[in-house]
Amino acid sequence: MTSALDVPLDPKVLEGLPQPPTITLQSPKDYIFDPRENIVIHCEAKGKPNPSFSWTRNGIHFDVEKDSKVLMKPGSGTLVIDISGEKAEAYEGTYQCTAHNDHGTAVSNNIVIRQSRSPLWSKERNEAITVQMGVSLVLQCRPPVGLPPPVIFWMDNNFQRLPLDQRVSQALNGDLYFSNVLPEDTRSDYICYARFPHTQTIQQKQPISVTVLSSKSKGEHHPGFMLPLGPTSTKMVLRGETLELECIAEGLPTPEISWQKDGGELPSNRMSFHNFKKTLKISDVNEVDGGDYRCTATNNMGTAHHIIKVTVKAAPFWVSAPRNLILAPNETGILTCRVKGEPKPKITWFVNGVLMENAPGDHSRKVEDDTVILSNVQSGSSAVYQCNASNEFGYLLANAFVSVLAEPPRVLTPPNQVYQVISNNPALLHCSSFGSPIPTITWFKDSQTSIKNGDPYVIHENGTLEIHVAQPLNSGKYTCIATNNLGIKENHVYLEVKEPTRILKQPEYKVMQRGMNAVFECKVKHDPSLIPTMIWLKDNGELPDDERFEVDADSLTIKYVTEEDEGTYTCIRNTSLDQDSASAMLTVVEATPTPAIVYEKPDPPTDLELTDHTERSVRLTWIPGDEHNSPTQKFLIQYEDLLHQPGVWINLTEVAGTSTTARLNLSPYVYYSFRVLALNHVGYSLPSQPSHQYRTNPAAPDENPSNVQGVGTQPGNLVISWTPLTGFQSNGPGLEYRVQWRQKDMDEDWSSRNVANVSQFVVSETPTFVPYEIKVQALNDYGSGPEPEIVIGYSGEDFPLSAPDSVQVMVHNSTLAEVHWEPVSASSVRGKLQGYKVYYQRERGLHETEGKMDEQEQVLTFSGNRSEGRLPGLQPYSLYRLLITVLNNKGEGPPSPSKTFETPEGVPGPPSFLNIINPSLDSLILEWGPPLNNNGRLSGYTLKYQPVNNTSELGPVKVMTFLPNETTVILGNLNSSMLYKFYLSAKTIKGSGPVITEEAVIIMETKTGKAVPSRQVDIATQGWFIGLMCAIALLILVLLIVCFIKRNKGGKYPVKEKEDAHQDPEIQPMKEDDGTFGEYSDTEDHKPLKGSRTPSNGTVRRDESDDSLVDYGEGGEGQFNEDGSFIGQYSGKKEKDTHEGNESSEAPSPVNAMNSFV
């Protein structure tokens, strides 16, 4: 068996290749035409040679040349029928197009052509209706039957729509229902109108007169159903259509309608309520939507119920449509036509448009229901096969050609292509080829060394050579050779592996006083053949447009820094292949203030005047306000659009601070009002008073919508979306959008639709995941916008059809396996390939004593078009099961057949325990448990032990081995008063596993006159322990003396006197108003000092504050007396400046003093 061979779209490859016909465009199955226009029946096809076209009408050959009113477009099968002056009914019927060339015949769907009809209303005389107030009423419309059906609405004599509400509503059949009538319902002009869409004609029924009598009012009463009648009703709907259920109730007060589904829930994502909840609509119906739907009418007099029994049927729909096959002579292929429907569709096969049973016999062809098997095909047996699936609700027809080709190999990758990658990254060298049979690809390096699959190389099915981790030694010339039984072709490419770009000196965190210069360095190392570029960012955005920022080759200089310059600065070094980046923060602190002139914001400009009026511009002049000791840097001009955005002021332009006039460019259809703001070093002034209003005339749009996209949200659709123009951008009234689309590379006309007040349009009945060319153009009452750019979008994806084939598993070792598979064909993915998912699960261990285990299934996802992947972390000596699925954006495809594999033995885990029991004077017993994970067949245990003397020197090692079933041993002839270390490991044929250790001390203790062995050592007699205790006692004594002295100094602690002796403005905490030092008291224990910096998260922490109490100590903890006073009086940073320039010496706090002793 073989799958379809892809034919490249390269015209140079297609040229000369024979190809049977393929229908590329055809009219819809049901075509209703307007008798005022020509009938156009589309039929386009491609093939090599170009196909010829013919038609049938009502199953009989339609001779186009004999009818002067019928024209077939040149090079196409499209018919244009001129029905002017003719009876259009003569051309109604069922048409079918046939495209034929030397290699086969393709046919179109049966296209039913019908004339649109808008018949007149039958003449009738409506009797006046008189009803009592409070009763229900139905006004019947009964419109004439049209093609297509008309749109119904009710109006009065003044052509005003009748108001509809919960009490008065229009049913789906057009009748007008009153749940109860009121006196205001009395009128003589209830008129039903029918609008016929194709002819755009509107017809009206004779007016109906209604009189409501209020003298005999019917009181409040129980709800009852006016539509449908009775307790139950039925409804049939087709899969994929919209289900419309309707319940209209009478009663007083007006009943409220609610819906529920018996035995299930309403599909919230596909349902909607209409007509004041009297109509329930469920879109895209499927089988689960069948069942009983209950509508309930409720008022204060009671409730009423009605059940609608819904049955879902289905016209045939595709599970898997037949695909084109390209086979080499003597190959075998399969055509499948899988459909579903309710009732089950009947499948009929045709070849070249002829029923298979009536076609010439072919011993290589075999039909099995929905499958055609073609065995050992021969040259000249190319044909087009048709699959027809039908039931009582519709049919599907698909063409699939089988082309038998014998073509020598061609390499499609351009020759002498140079690939550049950064070292330690993957490298992909392409070798795209075409031929029939499919060529075999082999690779050589430097024209000599043959490259095989395996580390570090992988040769993919499409011929691409992948190097997992490229190194400089991989650079060189590579040759790919494509071979089949008809010839051989080679191509050369080159790989250059470059050194990575790395920042050697990164920018550093800086704290600068306002007005100083800040310099950030950023030095880089890169491959000498690549040219790097430097980009600096501030807070992940562009640097301010300010001449104070100077960028050099390896640095950024910020002159005269201000508070606005604070932030994170990032340097990015780019090459054409890679980049590196590093960041640092800048913090700006206030310098010591000096007396200065008082600066203020300028006063707003005055006397705004508009002159020199034109269609698209106007001149604005003004008088500047007082500058308040700071020169005006610029003027900001803003406008308000009183037509589209009243109350919103928008920046229009800026001019220099020396200007008092500006020429303003304007847009059409805007009601402008202007104002001006002045800016100096302090800030912006208040806005000026607005100018007089200036209106511009409408015009055609100057621009088209932005962000045009085409994305399929479900199979068979394409959602075209865009960002609408604002009212300001519309340039005039009547804004609409012309949406145009066509399938890419299909040489077809653009489809077009005009829409308004929306930002998206849904194209339905599209093929699955194919590219479309899309354009969206703005237009208004004054013309169209510029020609829009073409955007490429893709129709909706569907679940993949196929599972990976040829799943093979290579077990590398006891914990690692490598799985290989045959990737699915691109067409079966039916979407953008995301990768493959491998599901694998440990079934059981291979040890004879281990049964089947219920372990969790594991999943690995391999992105991209992969054909292999590694499964790490496997358990040795186990049986595993795996399967593989293909993944696209829609979801996963069917799984591959399960594959099992076994892992070999590995080293075992450590013994589960090692215990020392029953020690005596010169012996003890060791007891252990088997490993929790044998990881194979256990072959025994290895025990090593050795003595350790008082100086921690290790004695000789003794080794003992044991059988797998031995778990205890008695060790004798041990030395008393000696520490022993024991090492135990289990082993399999793969070697020994991890070691478990234990130790014991055999010493003598005298207790009740009897010597016993002990594992305890009396450290109280050890010299090192006595010395340690003495040092700790001395330290505690020093600490108590220091604390006693500091405590006697009181609660509040003025700092100013201490600071006067250490003039260090960088670290002195200051009051905000006069710069003097604050006092630290018990009420401020947990507050940051004034002037301290608060972290960006808004909290103040002792280990993060740049200028807190902790900075003046010597550690991460602040120390306070019981009354809250600070211990040590800035004993850390504040005193280090007095130690005669020795910057490394600091006076320690009491806690640090203790730490130094320890």
Side-chain angles (χ1 to χ4, degrees), residues 597-610:
I597 301 173
V598 176
Y599 299 99
E600 294 182 2
K601 298 177 182 178
D603 289 341
T606 59
D607 296 339
L608 272 65
E609 184 179 2
L610 297 174

Side-chain angles (χ1 to χ4, degrees), residues 657-936:
T658 57
S659 300
T660 60
T661 183
R663 188 78 184 176
L664 307 179
N665 294 323
L666 308 179
S667 294
Y669 197 52
V670 179
Y671 296 175
Y672 282 102
S673 182
F674 303 97
R675 71 181 187 185
V676 183
L677 294 83
L679 174 69
N680 64 9
H681 183 72
V682 180
Y684 277 103
S685 69
L686 295 174
S688 67
Q689 291 297 316
S691 69
H692 295 298
Q693 188 182 119
Y694 182 69
R695 299 186 179 187
T696 55
N697 294 323
D702 293 326
E703 56 186 305
N704 290 313
S706 59
N707 299 324
V708 177
Q709 300 181 60
V711 179
T713 59
Q714 61 186 23
N717 83 349
L718 171 68
V719 179
I720 302 172
S721 61
W722 59 90
T723 300
L725 299 183
T726 63
F728 179 83
Q729 296 169 316
S730 67
N731 284 8
L735 177 64
E736 291 185 342
Y737 303 100
R738 180 179 293 120
V739 184
Q740 298 175 274
W741 69 94
R742 67 180 179 186
Q743 195 169 335
K744 190 173 184 291
D745 301 323
M746 295 298 288
D747 191 23
E748 62 183 22
D749 294 334
W750 289 92
S751 298
S752 178
R753 184 72 63 85
N754 287 6
V755 296
N757 301 319
V758 295
S759 60
Q760 70 173 34
F761 177 77
V762 180
V763 181
S764 58
E765 298 182 1
T766 63
T768 302
F769 197 66
V770 296
Y772 275 83
E773 294 180 320
I774 300 166
K775 297 191 294 185
V776 180
Q777 184 178 28
L779 59 153
N780 61 20
D781 293 346
Y782 290 82
S784 301
E787 179 64 23
E789 296 182 356
I790 295 178
V791 175
I792 303 300
Y794 282 83
S795 57
E797 301 187 28
D798 205 346
F799 292 104
L801 290 174
S802 304
D805 292 331
S806 305
V807 179
Q808 300 293 331
V809 180
M810 299 171 52
V811 180
H812 290 286
N813 54 47
S814 60
T815 61
L816 177 65
E818 186 172 306
V819 58
H820 293 257
W821 61 87
E822 192 81 16
V824 300
S825 62
S827 59
S828 73
V829 176
R830 299 207 297 179
K832 184 175 182 181
L833 179 64
Q834 297 299 310
Y836 293 84
K837 273 193 174 183
V838 178
Y839 295 83
Y840 62 100
Q841 183 177 16
R842 183 173 181 262
E843 294 285 299
R844 59 179 177 84
L846 296 178
H847 198 276
E848 61 274 4
T849 63
E850 187 174 350
K852 187 171 181 179
M853 304 182 68
D854 185 13
E855 297 202 10
Q856 184 177 0
E857 186 176 52
Q858 296 176 278
V859 183
L860 282 178
T861 301
F862 299 96
S863 300
N865 190 15
R866 299 280 296 271
S867 62
E868 54 83 29
R870 293 195 169 193
L871 309 180
L874 302 178
Q875 190 163 333
Y877 206 50
S878 300
L879 175 66
Y880 278 85
R881 173 184 56 81
L882 68 75
L883 54 85
I884 307 175
T885 63
V886 64
L887 182 67
N888 64 16
N889 288 323
K890 182 71 174 177
E892 297 182 48
S896 67
S898 294
K899 182 80 175 180
T900 60
F901 65 93
E902 298 178 357
T903 54
E905 294 189 51
V907 298
S912 57
F913 65 86
L914 176 61
N915 293 334
I916 300 172
I917 57 176
N918 298 332
S920 62
L921 295 178
D922 60 350
S923 66
L924 53 76
I925 298 176
L926 290 180
E927 182 181 54
W928 62 86
L932 297 179
N933 294 315
N934 288 349
N935 295 340

Side-chain angles (χ1 to χ4, degrees), residues 41 97 107 139 295 326 380 473 488 680 724 916 975 1012 1071 1115 1125:
I41 313 176
C97 172
V107 297
L139 300 184
C295 64
I326 297 180
L473 57 87
I488 185 172
N680 64 9
I916 300 172
N975 295 329
V1012 297
K1071 291 186 179 179
S1125 60

Side-chain angles (χ1 to χ4, degrees), residues 126-130 137 139 154-158 160 162 176 178 182-193 204-212:
N126 297 320
E127 298 293 334
I129 299 174
T130 302
L137 176 64
L139 300 184
W154 289 78
M155 293 197 298
D156 58 18
N157 278 330
N158 297 321
Q160 297 298 315
L162 296 179
L176 191 64
F178 296 77
L182 299 176
E184 54 264 29
D185 296 326
T186 297
R187 64 190 310 153
S188 60
D189 57 351
Y190 286 96
I191 305 174
C192 181
Y193 287 84
Q204 73 175 66
K205 183 184 178 75
Q206 290 296 319
I208 302 175
S209 175
V210 175
T211 302
V212 179

Side-chain angles (χ1 to χ4, degrees), residues 14 17-22 45-53 74-76 98-104 747:
L14 289 175
L17 287 180
Q19 182 176 335
T22 300
K46 66 178 181 179
K48 196 72 174 182
N50 293 328
S52 60
F53 298 88
S76 163
T98 299
H100 173 78
N101 69 7
D102 297 339
H103 306 289
D747 191 23

Side-chain angles (χ1 to χ4, degrees), residues 1093 1095-1097 1099-1108 1111:
R1093 204 164 42 82
S1096 61
N1097 62 5
T1099 62
V1100 178
R1101 291 166 44 184
R1102 291 181 177 177
D1103 57 349
E1104 293 179 355
S1105 175
D1106 291 340
D1107 199 12
S1108 66
D1111 289 333

